[in-house]
Every structure is written in structure tokens, then in C-alpha cells.
Amino acid sequence: MKNLIIASTSTLHGGGYLDYLLPELEAFFKDCNTILFIPYARPGGISHDDYTGRVKSAFANINKKVRGLHEFDSPKEAIENAEAIFTGGGNTFLLVSQLYKNKVMDILANAVKSGIPYLGTSAGSNITGLSMQTTNDMPIVYPPSFQTLGLMPFNLNPHYLDADLQSKHMGETRETRIKEFHQFNNIPVLGLREGSWLEVNGEKITLKGDLQARLFLHNQEPKELETGSDLSGLK
Amino acid sequence: MKNLIIASTSTLHGGGYLDYLLPELEAFFKDCNTILFIPYARPGGISHDDYTGRVKSAFANINKKVRGLHEFDSPKEAIENAEAIFTGGGNTFLLVSQLYKNKVMDILANAVKSGIPYLGTSAGSNITGLSMQTTNDMPIVYPPSFQTLGLMPFNLNPHYLDADLQSKHMGETRETRIKEFHQFNNIPVLGLREGSWLEVNGEKITLKGDLQARLFLHNQEPKELETGSDLSGLK
């Protein structure tokens, strides 16, 4: 039975890494001693070791051990044998490229479908959808495919940002970009604001946190969903 | 001899489409009657016809005719026979996909190298660099390659945006994204703010407009370039 926490961001403004989620994570990971961390997205180009170190410090607060996927000779076996998995944020193009290069995209999907608890933040959340095509990231590397884990029947836009009506900048708003996506794709997109997360239990998907999320459906006006909304029926 | 205007944006806040560039464009296109417009980037998903209509209206102000590339049976011949070419903004992933699908990426590069005047705005500017890997756009379609026209020995980031120091948003700043690009690529990136453009004459590349541009070199701190700077030596 699937068991996921899919967060828009790892960090809220003014807070420490994972701080706002720790109470939730303590309950979520209560049956695990060691979490397997996938550091492939390398935010700001940080090394796998340094990124894993940052995650170790955060999880020490709730007495969990952390090991980086890059420390294992066989990423496949490391994932299949994990008690729990966390994929951190960074660059989604890099993350997806590395998952394919190490031949673990399907392995990871199957591991989570089999019930290994999975935490994603930002890029690590993006990949739980059908494709990475609603990422905000820069295409710094060329992945062999945009298809991702497909653990939910829709796509995410993490760090969802409302248009700044005072701005004089003429670049596209996030909403415009998602509407462009819907010119060529008909799967739903959930804009998940910083501080929101999804809780997935089996096939039940619930919006958590204090904020609303913005739902974009093909050929429909976007709508705001209240926290607590059940997203299981989305397709 | 190459002859290009490569603009960050088509439109400034509060202005009409191409308004701020029209005096420059009148001189640039003085020997042309008809401009071939490449509408493939489809901003906001607008149709090729509607996008071409918008461009026709703007160029009517300086008495130029416009024809859309999609109106021709052979895009290859249309490009080779053009008096002048304009590629408009929109989604860079879509633009690059369509250029490859219609087998005109190389044709277009060769046409511009042979001296056909070329105007690009936003996505249409992005493709004049070595790759589209410093676009801001969402990967709404999967292009067969990120390589682009290579008319300049560096990459562009159009609509360059300085970090908002008041923001509480935790998504990456533009500068962070470009630094991530430089973890995996060593070609220079020029952040071109809205209102700036590059003028290319042969191998000479000059920064125009009222603003500074921000230059990112691999393993160096970014620096501000004054308008009028000669970028020909960048590599």
C-alpha cells in the first residue's frame, strides 16, 4: 500500500531545513530506523556527500539515520532493501537524468508501490507525478525522457507561485506556463504552494498544510482547493 | 555576414508589442519589404495564425509585410528565400521541437550565417545561443535535442530577473539556476534584462539598450556589463 508525503518545499522562509515538516515526519517514519536519501538533484550543484550530510543533520532531530544512495554499489538493491526513502529537491532535469542513468526509475516506482514510505520535497515531489513537464527548473542536462514515477494520476507544480500583480516583469506567470502545458497535454496539474504537502495512503490522496492549492484541469478555469481536500478522484 | 537583433523581450511593461524596438527595427529592416515570421513558440498556446496576425499589426507601423512560416508548403524553401526572418517568443521547448520536426534548425542557422537579417525576441533569442539550456520555460513538450542555432559562442537567459530580496519564496533565483547550469556546462551565459538587446554584425556582438546585462562565466563570480559592451570575445 502506497505511503507518501509529497511536499512543495523542504524549507519555509526563515525556517531550517525540513523544520516545518518534522512533527509530521516523526509520525510518518515511526517504524523506520534508517532512511535512504536520493541526493541526485543537487541543489545549487552541492555534492552528493554534502547534500546527504545536510539531510543527516535534519533527521538527527528525530533520531533517524540517513544513508545516501550514492554510497551503495548497487542503487537498485539499496532502493529495494530500503526501510524508507527520501528524495530531496534541486534540479529536476538532473534528478530524472540520474535516475535513468542508474536504471532505477522503475525500481523506485515499484518500491514505493510495494509500500516503502516515500518522502519527496520539491524536485523529489515533482517526480511522483506522471511527468516532470511542470517543473520550474532549468534544463541544465538532457534527460532521456520526461516520464517520471507515475505514483499519482496527475502532475505537480511545486513552489507554486501566484502572479505578482505589481510586477513589471513580462516573463510568463506560473499560471500562463501551466496553461501552455495544457495546450499539449490533458493531465491535471496541481500547483502546490510552499507549506503544503500531499499525504498518500494507498489510493487516497489528501491535501495537507494550512494553505489552499491551485488545480489546473485541461480546458477548465483553475480552481482553489481547500486543505483537507481529497484528490483521489483526479484524472 | 551575420546581422541580428537579439532582444530579451518583445514587450516592455505598459508598452505595445515591439513598440520599444520599432525605431531600431525600422533601420534594421530598411532593405526588406517582407519579413518571414516563425510563430512556432506560440505564447500562451495562441495559434500560428493569430500569432502571425499580431506580428503583422506591429510591423504595419513601419510598413513591412509579414508572412508566417506555417503558411508555406516548404518551410525549408521559405527560410532560404526569405528577405528577413523574425522568430517570436513563447515556449522554447515547443519552438525547438517544431524547428527539429520541420527539419529547419540547420537551414535556419545557415540562412542567418549567410546574411539574412534575423530578429529574435525571448524564445526566438534563446535559440541563437549554443543551446536552449538556460531558458526559463516549462518543458511542455520533449524536444529531440537541446542544441540550438549556435549563432553566438554563448548562451542567453532572456527576461533576466534579479533576485527579489524581499521575497519569502524559496524557489531558486535565476542566478542560482544559472550557477547550477555551470556545474555541468562551461559555456558563458548572458542574463539579458527586459529592454536590452544584442546587435550582431558579422562577428561583432554589442550590448544595446539602457540597461546593464549580467554575465555568468564558469567558475567565476557573475559581473555586470555596461550597455555598449563588446561581447565578441566571449567564450
Side-chain angles (χ1 to χ4, degrees):
Chain A
M1 188 182 107
K2 283 188 287 192
N3 192 19
L4 295 87
I5 289 181
I6 301 171
S8 175
T9 185
S10 62
T11 313
L12 291 180
H13 182 76
Y17 186 70
L18 292 177
D19 267 2
Y20 79 102
L21 271 175
L22 278 182
E24 198 74 19
L25 297 182
E26 192 160 19
F28 185 69
F29 288 126
K30 68 180 187 309
D31 298 327
C32 320
N33 292 309
T34 303
I35 296 164
L36 178 68
F37 177 58
I38 302 182
Y40 291 162
R42 299 179 56 187
I46 186 177
S47 73
H48 290 156
D49 277 343
D50 287 350
Y51 198 11
T52 304
R54 185 188 296 178
V55 172
K56 279 181 182 167
S57 299
F59 277 102
N61 292 316
I62 55 169
N63 300 310
K64 302 293 171 190
K65 293 191 185 121
V66 171
R67 290 200 64 188
L69 182 56
H70 66 293
E71 299 168 26
F72 292 83
D73 291 334
S74 167
K76 174 178 179 295
E77 287 178 20
I79 288 171
E80 288 174 338
N81 296 327
E83 284 182 82
I85 297 170
F86 169 34
T87 306
N91 186 287
T92 309
F93 290 87
L94 180 59
L95 170 59
V96 168
S97 294
Q98 288 295 306
L99 289 171
Y100 278 114
K101 186 180 171 193
N102 289 293
K103 298 187 171 53
V104 291
M105 186 66 87
D106 289 346
I107 304 292
L108 180 56
N110 290 333
V112 180
K113 284 176 192 163
S114 79
I116 298 177
Y118 178 94
L119 167 66
T121 59
S122 194
S125 293
N126 226 323
I127 60 169
T128 63
L130 292 168
S131 83
M132 57 163 286
Q133 289 177 265
T134 48
T135 178
N136 310 309
D137 295 338
M138 200 170 256
I140 61 174
V141 294
Y142 184 71
S145 168
F146 285 161
Q147 298 306 300
T148 49
L149 297 171
L151 298 168
M152 301 185 301
F154 53 87
N155 269 12
L156 280 183
N157 179 253
H159 299 280
Y160 183 77
L161 196 58
D162 294 290
D164 174 1
L165 301 177
Q166 304 305 313
S167 172
K168 294 182 176 175
H169 188 70
M170 298 299 285
E172 291 88 347
T173 65
R174 195 67 61 80
E175 181 158 324
T176 298
R177 295 178 193 280
I178 295 170
K179 285 180 176 173
E180 287 180 354
F181 172 78
H182 272 153
Q183 291 285 332
F184 301 92
N185 305 274
N186 59 14
I187 59 181
V189 180
L190 186 70
L192 204 56
R193 296 184 177 94
E194 294 177 348
S196 289
W197 67 93
L198 299 180
E199 185 183 85
V200 182
N201 282 106
E203 297 309 312
K204 184 158 187 197
I205 307 172
T206 310
L207 176 63
K208 307 285 277 189
D210 293 335
L211 306 171
Q212 296 177 318
R214 193 158 179 85
L215 176 64
F216 299 83
L217 297 175
H218 188 241
N219 282 341
Q220 295 187 33
E221 282 303 301
K223 56 186 170 196
E224 291 290 320
L225 301 181
E226 297 300 323
T227 186
S229 291
D230 181 348
L231 299 166
S232 318
L234 269 190
K235 59 184 177 183
Chain B
M1 188 181 109
K2 283 187 287 191
N3 192 19
L4 295 87
I5 289 182
I6 301 172
S8 175
T9 185
S10 63
T11 313
L12 291 180
H13 182 76
Y17 186 71
L18 291 177
D19 268 2
Y20 80 102
L21 272 176
L22 278 181
E24 197 74 20
L25 297 182
E26 192 159 20
F28 184 70
F29 288 127
K30 68 180 187 307
D31 297 328
C32 319
N33 291 309
T34 303
I35 296 164
L36 178 68
F37 176 59
I38 302 182
Y40 291 162
R42 300 179 56 187
I46 186 176
S47 73
H48 290 156
D49 276 343
D50 287 350
Y51 197 10
T52 304
R54 184 189 297 177
V55 172
K56 280 182 180 167
S57 299
F59 276 103
N61 293 316
I62 55 169
N63 300 310
K64 302 294 171 190
K65 292 190 185 125
V66 172
R67 289 200 63 189
L69 182 55
H70 66 292
E71 299 168 25
F72 292 83
D73 290 335
S74 167
K76 174 177 179 294
E77 288 178 20
I79 288 171
E80 288 174 338
N81 296 328
E83 285 182 82
I85 297 170
F86 168 35
T87 305
N91 186 287
T92 310
F93 290 87
L94 180 59
L95 171 59
V96 168
S97 294
Q98 288 295 304
L99 289 172
Y100 279 113
K101 186 179 170 193
N102 288 291
K103 299 186 169 55
V104 292
M105 185 66 87
D106 290 345
I107 304 291
L108 179 56
N110 289 333
V112 181
K113 284 176 192 162
S114 79
I116 298 177
Y118 179 94
L119 167 66
T121 60
S122 194
S125 293
N126 226 322
I127 60 168
T128 64
L130 292 168
S131 82
M132 56 163 287
Q133 288 177 265
T134 48
T135 178
N136 310 309
D137 295 338
M138 200 170 255
I140 61 173
V141 294
Y142 184 71
S145 167
F146 285 162
Q147 299 306 301
T148 49
L149 298 171
L151 298 168
M152 301 186 302
F154 53 88
N155 267 13
L156 280 182
N157 180 254
H159 299 282
Y160 183 77
L161 196 58
D162 294 290
D164 174 359
L165 301 177
Q166 304 306 312
S167 172
K168 294 183 176 173
H169 189 70
M170 299 299 287
E172 292 87 349
T173 65
R174 195 69 59 81
E175 183 159 323
T176 298
R177 295 178 192 280
I178 295 171
K179 286 180 175 173
E180 287 181 353
F181 172 78
H182 272 154
Q183 291 284 334
F184 301 92
N185 306 273
N186 59 13
I187 58 181
V189 179
L190 186 70
L192 205 56
R193 295 185 176 93
E194 294 178 348
S196 290
W197 66 94
L198 300 179
E199 185 184 86
V200 183
N201 281 106
E203 296 309 312
K204 183 155 189 201
I205 307 173
T206 311
L207 176 62
K208 308 284 279 188
D210 294 334
L211 305 172
Q212 296 176 318
R214 194 158 178 85
L215 177 64
F216 299 84
L217 297 174
H218 187 240
N219 282 341
Q220 295 185 32
E221 282 302 300
K223 57 186 167 195
E224 291 291 319
L225 301 182
E226 297 300 321
T227 185
S229 291
D230 182 349
L231 300 167
S232 317
L234 269 190
K235 60 183 177 184

